[in-house]
């Protein structure tokens, strides 16, 4: 996906690999335990349980299989992270405008988020009663400039499969696209930052490009009149 990091696609593919393997390993362990319990349980008049304490070939075999599975997962994980990081890194040199001309400044502070748009538009919350709302256009690259006003926070959008640290005194720049068919929910700080860390949440609202432009113009008008 050019012009914006396709983090959701990259990490969703990784998720789709991990889940079947995890389910398969869990099923094999349960089946093995069931076989052992049923086979070796004491039976009146039956043969005693096996006293065998090792099975070298079997142990070597499953060790090799586990090593291959682990190698596959590590390789795919690093490959996915590397591809996403390359996309994010390409955004970094441009200081102001994203590819579509939209840059949103994000500041994390105990225990709230502040989103600043062009034209002096600011979105921020008022504690858990009113969460801050990040409004973005669908399908278009959005440039973010992320920092923190106090301690290290982490800007996490689970449905985008994206997390980036907000570090005091440093601005991290990256581009993202947002899919109109995705319900972005449970967005939050994922770096423990103090007593009310759990309340440091925000909402992502994805609007059609025309609706987003209308929303931004209206908010800019309100900001100019204030």
């Amino acid at each position: 996906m050019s012009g914006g990091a396709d983090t959701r696609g990259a990490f969703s593919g990784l998720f789709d690999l991990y889940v079947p393997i995890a389910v398969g390993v869990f099923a094999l362990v349960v089946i093995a335990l069931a076989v052992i319990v049923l086979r070796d349980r004491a039976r009146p008049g039956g043969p005693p349980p096996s006293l065998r304490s090792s099975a070298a070939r079997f142990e070597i075999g499953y060790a090799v299989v586990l090593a291959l599975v682990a190698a596959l997962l590590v390789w795919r994980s690093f490959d996915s992270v590397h591809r996403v990081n390359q996309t994010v890194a390409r955004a970094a040199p441009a200081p102001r405008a994203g590819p579509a001309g939209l840059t949103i400044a994000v500041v994390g502070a105990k225990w709230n988020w502040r989103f600043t748009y062009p034209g002096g538009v600011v979105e921020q919350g008022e504690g858990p009663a009113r969460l801050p709302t990040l409004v973005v256009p669908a399908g278009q690259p959005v440039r973010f400039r992320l920092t923190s006003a106090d301690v290290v926070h982490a800007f996490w959008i689970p449905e985008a499969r994206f997390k980036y640290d907000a570090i005091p005194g440093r601005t991290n720049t990256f581009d993202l696209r947002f899919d109109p068919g995705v319900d972005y929910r449970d967005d939050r700080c994922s770096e423990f930052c103090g007593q009310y860390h759990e309340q440091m949440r925000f909402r992502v609202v994805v609007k059609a490009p025309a609706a987003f432009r209308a929303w931004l113009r209206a908010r800019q008008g309100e900001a100019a009149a204030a």
Side-chain angles (χ1 to χ4, degrees), residues 141-164:
V142 179
R143 174 149 296 172
F144 291 91
R145 293 176 57 79
L146 174 68
T147 190
S148 168
D150 39 47
V151 300
V152 175
H153 301 284
F155 180 74
W156 185 33
I157 304 177
E159 287 300 320
R161 309 292 192 263
F162 185 84
K163 180 174 71 171
Y164 217 111

Side-chain angles (χ1 to χ4, degrees), residues 63-152:
V64 169
V65 171
L66 289 178
L68 291 174
V69 170
L72 171 65
L73 294 178
V74 169
W75 169 68
R76 285 294 305 274
S77 298
F78 275 94
D79 180 63
S80 297
V81 171
H82 178 67
R83 284 187 287 110
V84 169
N85 284 346
Q86 280 189 321
T87 306
V88 172
R90 284 196 294 270
R96 291 193 177 89
L102 174 64
T103 296
I104 302 175
V106 182
V107 178
K110 296 186 294 187
W111 287 273
N112 202 352
W113 295 98
R114 183 172 74 249
F115 307 119
T116 303
Y117 295 77
V121 176
V122 177
E123 284 284 326
Q124 63 183 17
E126 297 175 358
R130 190 177 78 84
L131 297 179
T133 301
L134 174 61
V135 183
V136 293
Q140 296 183 349
V142 179
R143 174 149 296 172
F144 291 91
R145 293 176 57 79
L146 174 68
T147 190
S148 168
D150 39 47
V151 300
V152 175

Side-chain angles (χ1 to χ4, degrees), residues 117-119 121 209-225:
Y117 295 77
V121 176
F212 173 80
R213 290 192 295 271
W215 172 86
L216 185 57
R217 283 196 299 269
R219 291 301 312 277
Q220 287 171 336
E222 293 173 6

Side-chain angles (χ1 to χ4, degrees), residues 128-202:
R130 190 177 78 84
L131 297 179
T133 301
L134 174 61
V135 183
V136 293
Q140 296 183 349
V142 179
R143 174 149 296 172
F144 291 91
R145 293 176 57 79
L146 174 68
T147 190
S148 168
D150 39 47
V151 300
V152 175
H153 301 284
F155 180 74
W156 185 33
I157 304 177
E159 287 300 320
R161 309 292 192 263
F162 185 84
K163 180 174 71 171
Y164 217 111
D165 281 349
I167 302 172
R170 175 176 175 178
T171 299
N172 287 321
T173 305
F174 52 89
D175 292 349
L176 290 174
R177 283 178 183 250
F178 294 85
D179 189 335
V182 176
D183 183 11
Y184 297 93
R185 63 177 67 193
D186 203 27
D187 313 304
R188 62 178 67 203
C189 172
S190 64
E191 185 85 26
F192 182 71
C193 54
Q195 183 177 5
Y196 298 105
H197 160 72
E198 180 58 25
Q199 296 180 9
M200 197 169 171
R201 301 168 179 254
F202 61 97

